[in-house]
Amino acid sequence: MALLDGVTYGQMGSVRYKMFVSTWNVGGIPPTDDLDLEDWLDTGKSSYDIYVLGFQEIVPLSTRNVLGPEKIQISMKWKSLIGETLNKYLHDRKRIQKCEPLEHHKDGHHKESKAREFRCVVSKQMVGILVSVWVRKDLRNYISNPRVSCIGCGIMGCLRNKGSVSVRFCLHEASFCFVCCHLASGGKEADEMRRNSNVMDILSRTCFSSDASNDLPKKILNHDRIVLFGDLNYRISMPYAETKTLVEQKQWNVLLDKDQLRFELSEGRALEGWNEGVITFSPTYKYLPNSDEYCWHVHGRNGERRRAPAWCDRILWLGEGLKQKRYDRCEVKFSDHRPVRSIFTTEVDALQI
């Protein structure tokens, strides 16, 4: 958090925060107790004020999981691992302080630890989708009116094997909305239209509850700052053999020219007016288990199917006051997807007290 120049305490002024947003399709694989999340969450190198983490397929998308009760044990495990990782340095510092005297400055004051404590302000699961929002403990009092809204748009247009979990809250005077999606899969011709339809359903059907005492936005597009992220499942519109050759040559820019989401955005058929950062990383799907090798064939009930790599995992945003500082992927070999991360700075009006 940084107070901007020219603002004195007791006045309204702009405050800048640093926000970490990430999406990760974990392929229905439950996390192990020793799963290391430090590299993904960038806890060793950088410091952030807010983490917004979105998962897809935290459980397999079986009929039993889609129609039955939520398996909250898996989401609680992910939440526990996230909390342990974000607060690891704080806990390490406390353990050290029990054994060693605190370092002092020349003026006699204790040297403050850079470690910050994080608290979860909202966490919500819908079948395989999970959103978990974490903020610095000292920032928690400035977060208000957290709400969630879940939309199923999978089988028959309503089942929750696909869809979205949206979270909204206010930070000081600004409203934020984060929409974590898992859109229709498939690499057949015109499958991108199903994904476009999913997006329209999510934007139109999502509605947040609101108290009569406030006038907060109920719809996604009415918020000040919006981030839509997840396994959007858009593929590369190119023949399989040509795609394979270009992937082997690492001709990412040529492949991106045929990226379905880019085309749909440019034609105004999906998310018109939204922003996405420049993609400089390789396709995030589909990998062989625990490998850097792409999986080109999948064996299913109906025989072998081809799978071409694609940038399925994406982060887009809308609204003034959000500036993207980084857009990359993380090399965690846990599932058939690689996590994608975006670092934003955001300025909000706040009373300085």
Side-chain angles (χ1 to χ4, degrees):
M1 179 181 71
L3 185 66
L4 301 189
D5 294 340
V7 178
T8 60
Y9 288 92
Q11 296 181 334
M12 287 295 291
S14 293
V15 184
R16 182 184 295 122
Y17 293 100
K18 200 172 180 182
M19 187 178 298
F20 180 108
V21 180
S22 185
T23 175
W24 190 7
N25 185 320
V26 294
I29 305 170
T32 57
D33 291 337
D34 61 349
L35 180 61
D36 189 347
L37 301 182
E38 288 187 46
D39 186 44
W40 172 44
L41 298 178
D42 200 23
T43 53
K45 299 178 182 178
S46 301
S47 178
Y48 305 101
D49 301 300
I50 301 171
Y51 283 84
V52 182
L53 309 175
F55 297 85
Q56 303 82 41
E57 297 190 51
I58 65 166
V59 297
L61 301 182
S62 64
T63 302
R64 177 179 296 180
N65 287 337
V66 172
L67 299 179
E70 304 283 17
K71 289 189 174 180
I72 62 171
Q73 299 91 340
I74 300 296
S75 60
M76 293 301 293
K77 182 63 179 178
W78 279 110
K79 184 179 174 182
S80 175
L81 285 170
I82 293 165
E84 289 172 8
T85 303
L86 293 182
N87 293 311
K88 178 179 184 296
Y89 290 96
L90 178 68
H91 297 156
D92 289 348
R93 178 72 178 180
K94 288 179 178 178
R95 283 194 294 269
I96 292 170
Q97 288 175 354
K98 288 180 180 179
C99 303
E100 300 177 2
L102 287 174
E103 186 179 344
H104 287 72
H105 288 297
K106 292 179 181 179
D107 60 7
H109 289 95
H110 295 309
K111 182 179 179 181
E112 293 185 2
S113 169
K114 291 184 179 180
R116 296 170 169 181
E117 185 174 356
F118 283 86
R119 296 285 179 86
C120 182
V121 294
V122 61
S123 190
K124 179 62 178 177
Q125 177 186 1
M126 183 189 78
V127 188
I129 302 175
L130 171 66
V131 178
S132 196
V133 179
W134 296 72
V135 304
R136 289 190 350 250
K137 180 183 176 182
D138 59 309
L139 184 57
R140 178 64 184 89
N141 289 338
Y142 302 116
I143 301 284
S144 61
N145 298 292
R147 297 288 188 275
V148 297
S149 178
C150 300
I151 298 296
C153 52
I155 300 168
M156 297 185 292
C158 62
L159 292 188
R160 297 186 169 195
N161 59 308
K162 294 293 193 293
S164 66
V165 174
S166 299
V167 172
R168 85 95 191 278
F169 57 81
C170 293
L171 173 59
H172 295 290
E173 304 299 317
S175 61
F176 287 78
C177 184
F178 297 89
V179 186
C180 181
C181 304
H182 193 186
L183 305 185
S185 60
K188 300 190 298 294
E189 187 175 351
D191 276 345
E192 65 270 25
M193 299 304 175
R194 295 169 54 221
R195 296 184 263 276
N196 293 350
S197 178
N198 288 169
V199 170
M200 289 186 287
D201 278 351
I202 290 165
L203 294 179
S204 63
R205 291 167 52 197
T206 298
C207 188
F208 298 99
S209 62
S210 184
D211 298 331
S213 59
N214 60 46
D215 189 29
L216 294 175
K218 294 185 177 182
K219 307 298 289 183
I220 291 173
L221 294 177
N222 292 335
H223 290 78
D224 297 323
R225 293 114 201 241
I226 313 163
V227 178
L228 185 144
F229 62 124
D231 181 359
L232 306 189
N233 254 320
Y234 287 94
R235 307 302 171 92
I236 297 169
S237 294
M238 186 179 287
Y240 175 85
E242 187 177 354
T243 301
K244 195 170 191 299
T245 298
L246 290 170
V247 167
E248 290 168 349
Q249 296 173 351
K250 299 184 178 181
Q251 296 288 326
W252 308 138
N253 287 334
V254 178
L255 289 163
L256 280 165
D257 285 340
K258 298 295 183 179
D259 175 74
Q260 290 178 349
L261 180 55
R262 279 192 170 188
F263 184 77
E264 298 304 307
L265 284 166
S266 67
E267 293 294 309
R269 290 199 291 253
L271 298 167
E272 185 175 9
W274 288 66
N275 307 291
E276 185 182 21
V278 177
I279 294 176
T280 58
F281 48 87
S282 52
T284 56
Y285 171 84
K286 171 179 176 68
Y287 283 92
L288 292 169
N290 300 308
S291 171
D292 286 324
E293 299 294 324
Y294 286 113
C295 177
W296 291 93
H297 298 87
V298 176
H299 297 279
R301 287 178 296 180
N302 299 320
E304 189 176 75
R305 292 181 294 171
R306 290 177 171 180
R307 278 285 187 273
W311 287 273
C312 290
D313 310 278
R314 312 286 275 269
I315 302 173
L316 298 92
W317 78 96
L318 186 67
E320 299 295 326
L322 277 176
K323 293 184 178 178
Q324 189 180 61
K325 297 298 183 179
R326 199 172 92 198
Y327 191 31
D328 65 5
R329 55 176 257 173
C330 181
E331 302 307 317
V332 182
K333 302 173 188 177
F334 180 75
S335 74
D336 54 356
H337 289 251
R338 294 291 188 265
V340 170
R341 310 176 291 195
S342 180
I343 309 305
F344 295 99
T345 58
T346 183
E347 294 180 12
V348 297
D349 291 332
L351 178 64
Q352 307 308 315
I353 55 175

